[in-house]
């Protein structure tokens, strides 16, 4: 008898517990916006060794405040992230939130959510317009800027002193003059150019933009425009005729050139704002100056901005939770800390102002952000065209084709 | 007498029949035991190959999603780019040069290692080093040795008075490709010479003794005793090396990335660029299918030639 009673009570307790559980989950489901609680995957690229600890801490802090949200954080190295994402997407296991350097190819396959459906209006307001606009395809933002870097001309002060040069070159003709003097008086290679698959397109961009050219105009590729041909010809002459550069630009990448610069074997190099952080640890004795990228006479100043993106896949079930997390992540102090750790520039104006107020060098870079130009990343074809452009420049440098021929052929690929 | 023989035969017959029934089941049992491995192989090897073939005949979006079959479109695109022909030629040169030269050198090394000399154990152990080290590390080391700006090779040659100005080893394919081949040979020698050494050790000394009694010189006994008896180990090392070297990625990727203009690319590095830099998965799969077929054809051809000869 007593056993039966016991079983009966047990059954009752279980029933009550189950009903209560149902009610609770029901309450959770009903509360607030759509998909505000639950679990989501966040894939972030590994910018440095400090990325993972920082990201883990942010996620932990966020989860402490939001007990009903769970984040599966995956920090992935740059060398394998492309393969990893490709696999995730093609096996229909796309992450919910992704940090990556491309996004348009996912838009083409209709895999991304419009950003404004997810983020708060306050967050949207924070981003630099130039950056946020670079995330738009047909007027709709499918990604948001994550962080940025900007390019400048770095020059070795010791080399300049030895050659008796006081001012870094502002225009192309000054650049040639300065190169000649450096070469004559020091014997050091004056100017660094790389034209490999690593980042050859950046040097293409420095020269064509410095001559008023561009990758695309009015939505169409214009790789063989007269401005571009003139600009690439100038670059090729700088290499082959003036011999003002490192001897084989097709055989050295930017990272390697940075090391050569650090050792004082290169007069000038155009590279990113994280270069000082690298020099500080690898070549602390190297004294350098920073100047704007030289442009052709009468052309407006410009710089190359490179930004990475955050995007939300439309397979996600918890857009509300992601929106909350993004607000949390982009809070100025937290975001500023992240930028300082990585030596990167912020994509939000609010953090930019704070950081510019604290550091003169950073201010110099941040001032360039509004005039930054970007690669045409909103075009899904860019990934392929990047390689075609590098190939064309290599052909021109190695004398396999004339500049015009090479760029015409690249243009054909863009149209085909 | 006869009767008893018949009955015993009948009896035997019965028992044989009995064994037959049980035997059928018994015959099946081994297949049951290997079924898991067969299944595993099917899933791990055949399913991906099938996927690969399917992808090579499909249109694949930039994000990597298959969008239906398009026949030979990917293959056509591939051959319309003359870069792929350069790549095929490079692969051929690369494979033949690395496997050929390292096999010849390895025979010499194995012959030396087979002789008794002081310190032989140490030399044998040292020979394994390049093989035991990770390929990427070895390749990176050679990249630094041949570096234009701080490479030790230029330094040595300058100090020795052989060159006056630094040589840019890794820029023009005329120099960089031979450098790549040299690194390939360097890492292929250990495996090859150990296989050949193992082969040498199976040759009975008696054969050389009787040969020398009959007046065979060193060269003759090498040609008529050593080489014929090494045939099996040479087959093994050549087939395996061709497959390894053909598919070798780290050396070229670390040192030149196939640049400039695909002139040091082989099929594998080209395939990687295709898949993960240009995001043309369909064409990358097509490259893969072609290299798979080349290797398959080579293996069948080579093994059948060797088998026929040994028959």
């Amino acid at each position: 008898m007593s056993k039966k009673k016991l079983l009966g009570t047990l059954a009752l307790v279980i029933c009550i517990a189950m009903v209560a559980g149902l009610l609770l989950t029901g309450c959770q489901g009903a509360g607030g916006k759509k998909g505000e609680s639950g679990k989501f995957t966040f894939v972030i690229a590994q910018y440095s060794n400090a990325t993972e600890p920082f990201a883990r801490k942010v996620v932990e802090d966020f989860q402490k405040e939001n007990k009903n949200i769970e984040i599966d954080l995956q920090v992935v190295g740059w060398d394998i992230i492309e393969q990893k994402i490709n696999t995730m997407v093609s096996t229909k296991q796309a992450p919910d939130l992704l940090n990556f350097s491309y996004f348009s190819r996912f838009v083409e396959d209709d895999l991304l959510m419009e950003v404004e459906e997810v983020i708060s209006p306050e967050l949207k307001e924070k981003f630099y317009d130039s950056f946020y606009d670079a995330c738009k395809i047909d007027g709709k933002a499918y990604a948001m800027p994550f962080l940025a870097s900007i390019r400048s001309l770095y020059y070795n002060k010791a080399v300049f002193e030895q050659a008796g040069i006081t001012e870094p070159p502002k225009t192309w003709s000054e650049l040639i003059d300065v190169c000649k003097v450096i070469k004559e008086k020091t014997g050091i290679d004056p100017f660094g150019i790389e034209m490999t698959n690593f980042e050859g397109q950046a040097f293409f961009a420095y020269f064509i933009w410095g001559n008023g050219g561009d990758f695309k105009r009015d939505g169409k590729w214009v790789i063989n425009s007269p401005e571009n041909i003139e600009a690439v010809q100038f670059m090729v002459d700088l290499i082959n005729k003036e011999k003002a550069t490192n001897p084989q630009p097709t055989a050295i990448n930017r990272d390697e050139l940075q090391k050569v610069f650090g050792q004082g074997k290169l007069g000038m190099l155009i590279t990113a704002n994280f270069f000082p952080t690298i020099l500080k640890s690898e070549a602390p004795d190297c004294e350098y100056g920073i100047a704007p990228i030289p442009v052709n006479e009468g052309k407006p100043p410009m710089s190359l901005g490179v930004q990475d993106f955050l995007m939300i896949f439309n397979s996600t079930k918890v857009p509300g939770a992601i929106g909350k997390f993004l607000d949390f992540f982009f809070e100025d102090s937290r975001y500023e800390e992240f930028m300082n750790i990585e030596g990167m520039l912020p994509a939000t104006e609010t953090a930019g102002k704070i950081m510019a107020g604290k550091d003169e060098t950073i201010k110099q870079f941040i001032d360039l952000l509004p005039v930054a130009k970007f690669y045409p990343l909103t075009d899904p074809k860019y990934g392929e065209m990047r390689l075609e452009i590098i190939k064309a420049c290599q052909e021109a440098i190695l004398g396999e084709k004339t500049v015009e021929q090479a760029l015409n052929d690249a243009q054909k690929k863009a149209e085909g | 007498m006869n009767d008893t023989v018949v009955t015993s035969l009948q009896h035997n017959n019965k028992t044989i029949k009995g064994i037959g029934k049980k035997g059928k089941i018994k015959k099946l049992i081994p297949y049951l035991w290997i079924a898991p491995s067969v299944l595993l192989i099917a899933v791990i090897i055949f399913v991906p190959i099938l996927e690969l073939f399917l992808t090579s005949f499909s249109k694949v979006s930039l994000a990597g999603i298959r969008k239906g079959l398009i026949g030979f479109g990917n293959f056509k695109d591939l051959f319309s780019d003359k870069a792929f022909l350069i790549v095929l030629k490079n692969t051929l040169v690369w494979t033949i040069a690395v496997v050929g030269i390292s096999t010849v050198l390895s025979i010499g090394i194995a012959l030396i290692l087979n002789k008794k000399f002081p310190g032989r154990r140490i030399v044998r152990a040292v020979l394994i080093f390049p093989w035991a080290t990770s390929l990427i590390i070895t390749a990176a080391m050679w990249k630094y040795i041949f570096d234009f700006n701080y490479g030790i090779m230029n330094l040595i040659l300058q100090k020795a008075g052989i060159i006056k100005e630094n040589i840019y080893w890794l820029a023009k394919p005329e120099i960089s490709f031979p450098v790549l081949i040299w690194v390939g040979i360097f890492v292929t020698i250990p495996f090859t010479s150990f296989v050949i050494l193992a082969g040498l050790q199976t040759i009975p000394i008696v054969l050389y003794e009787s040969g020398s009694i009959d007046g065979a010189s060193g060269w003759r006994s090498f040609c008529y005793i050593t080489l014929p008896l090494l045939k099996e180990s040479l087959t093994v090392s050549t087939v395996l090396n061709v497959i390894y070297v053909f598919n070798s990625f780290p050396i070229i990727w670390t040192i030149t990335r196939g640049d400039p203009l695909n002139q040091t690319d082989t099929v594998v590095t080209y395939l990687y660029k295709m898949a993960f830099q240009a995001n043309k998965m369909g064409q990358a799969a097509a490259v893969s299918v072609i290299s798979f077929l080349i290797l398959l054809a080579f293996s069948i051809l080579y093994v059948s030639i060797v088998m026929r000869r040994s028959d």
Side-chain angles (χ1 to χ4, degrees), chain B residues 87 90-103 131 135 177 180-192 237-253 264-269 291 295 298:
Chain B
V87 168
N90 285 346
T91 314
L92 196 73
V93 174
W94 160 256
T95 311
I96 292 176
V98 172
V99 176
I101 299 173
S102 56
T103 304
W131 192 34
L135 259 188
F177 206 56
L180 291 175
I181 288 174
W182 156 247
V183 179
I185 292 170
F186 179 81
V187 298
T188 309
I189 279 180
F191 169 76
T192 320
S237 76
T238 310
V239 172
L240 289 181
N241 273 337
V242 165
I243 295 171
Y244 287 154
V245 173
F246 187 95
N247 279 331
S248 173
F249 176 77
I251 297 174
I252 295 172
W253 192 252
T264 59
D265 262 327
T266 62
V267 168
V268 187
T269 53
S291 73
L295 281 180
F298 165 80

Side-chain angles (χ1 to χ4, degrees), chain A residues 175-193 233-249 265-268 396-399, chain B residues 148 165 172:
Chain A
L175 177 66
I176 289 191
D177 293 342
V178 167
C179 284
K180 274 182 185 157
V181 177
I182 292 178
K183 198 160 173 80
E184 237 169 61
K185 296 206 173 155
T186 66
I188 287 170
D189 294 332
F191 189 74
I193 291 183
Q233 189 63 55
F234 176 78
M235 177 179 79
V236 171
D237 287 347
L238 206 60
I239 297 164
N240 291 338
K241 261 196 204 152
E242 310 285 345
K243 304 211 180 299
T245 63
N246 44 307
Q248 299 284 356
K265 287 181 177 177
L266 194 60
M268 294 170 273
I397 292 170
L398 296 174
Chain B
F148 171 74
E165 281 197 346
K172 297 260 158 74

Side-chain angles (χ1 to χ4, degrees), chain B residues 12-242:
Chain B
N12 271 350
N13 248 352
K14 267 182 196 167
T15 41
I16 287 167
K17 267 183 191 166
I19 290 169
K21 262 184 191 172
K22 269 188 195 166
K24 261 186 192 166
I25 300 166
K26 270 197 178 162
K27 264 187 192 164
L28 279 177
I29 284 175
Y31 292 106
L32 207 64
W33 291 124
I34 59 165
S37 342
V38 171
L39 205 71
L40 202 68
I41 290 171
V43 170
I44 289 180
I45 296 179
F46 290 108
V47 171
I49 290 178
L50 194 74
E51 281 277 308
L52 176 73
F53 273 80
L54 212 58
T55 309
S56 74
F57 291 110
S58 308
K59 183 179 180 349
V60 185
S61 78
L62 287 169
I65 296 169
R66 274 211 294 267
K67 303 258 172 178
L69 295 170
I70 50 160
F72 284 93
N74 289 324
F75 292 88
K76 265 186 211 152
D77 288 346
L78 204 59
F79 282 102
S80 70
D81 192 350
K82 77 168 199 263
F84 187 59
L85 298 177
I86 300 176
V87 168
L88 280 179
K89 188 204 85 192
N90 285 346
T91 314
L92 196 73
V93 174
W94 160 256
T95 311
I96 292 176
V98 172
V99 176
I101 299 173
S102 56
T103 304
V104 172
L105 291 178
S106 298
I107 292 175
I109 291 171
L111 283 173
I112 295 169
L113 288 181
N114 203 29
K115 296 249 152 58
K116 278 198 173 135
F117 60 88
R120 184 172 75 161
R121 282 184 160 205
I122 297 170
V123 175
R124 280 187 184 181
V126 168
L127 189 67
I128 298 190
F129 279 3
W131 192 34
T133 324
S134 137
L135 259 188
I136 295 174
I137 307 270
T138 317
M141 189 191 79
W142 282 107
K143 187 184 180 187
Y144 280 113
I145 290 177
F146 283 106
D147 189 276
F148 171 74
N149 288 298
Y150 11 75
I152 196 168
M153 186 56 81
N154 276 330
L155 192 73
I156 292 173
L157 292 180
Q158 272 206 10
K159 293 264 165 168
I162 298 170
I163 56 168
K164 278 192 181 139
E165 281 197 346
N166 279 3
I167 295 175
Y168 220 125
W169 299 96
L170 302 176
K172 297 260 158 74
E174 301 88 69
I175 312 179
S176 63
F177 206 56
V179 168
L180 291 175
I181 288 174
W182 156 247
V183 179
I185 292 170
F186 179 81
V187 298
T188 309
I189 279 180
F191 169 76
T192 320
S193 36
F194 274 93
V195 172
I196 295 172
L197 182 61
L200 282 177
Q201 285 169 349
T202 61
I203 302 177
I205 305 172
V206 191
L207 290 179
Y208 292 104
E209 287 171 353
S210 55
S212 70
I213 291 170
D214 289 343
S217 62
W219 177 248
R220 287 206 127 204
S221 68
F222 173 75
C223 288
Y224 292 103
I225 302 172
T226 315
L227 268 189
L229 290 172
L230 273 183
K231 208 172 73 189
E232 273 179 21
S233 22
L234 282 176
T235 311
V236 170
S237 76
T238 310
V239 172
L240 289 181
N241 273 337
V242 165

Side-chain angles (χ1 to χ4, degrees), chain A residues 90-127:
Chain A
S90 53
T91 55
K92 300 204 163 53
Q93 297 171 328
D96 299 285
L97 181 62
L98 170 68
N99 151 228
F100 194 43
S101 43
Y102 297 104
F103 70 97
S104 52
R105 65 176 74 139
F106 304 121
V107 178
E108 210 184 29
D109 277 341
D110 199 18
L111 294 170
L112 297 186
M113 268 184 108
E114 261 186 69
V115 161
E116 280 162 43
E117 288 175 19
V118 180
I119 64 170
S120 60
E122 297 82 42
L123 178 56
K124 189 201 150 196
E125 279 307 307
K126 276 185 176 183
F127 294 118

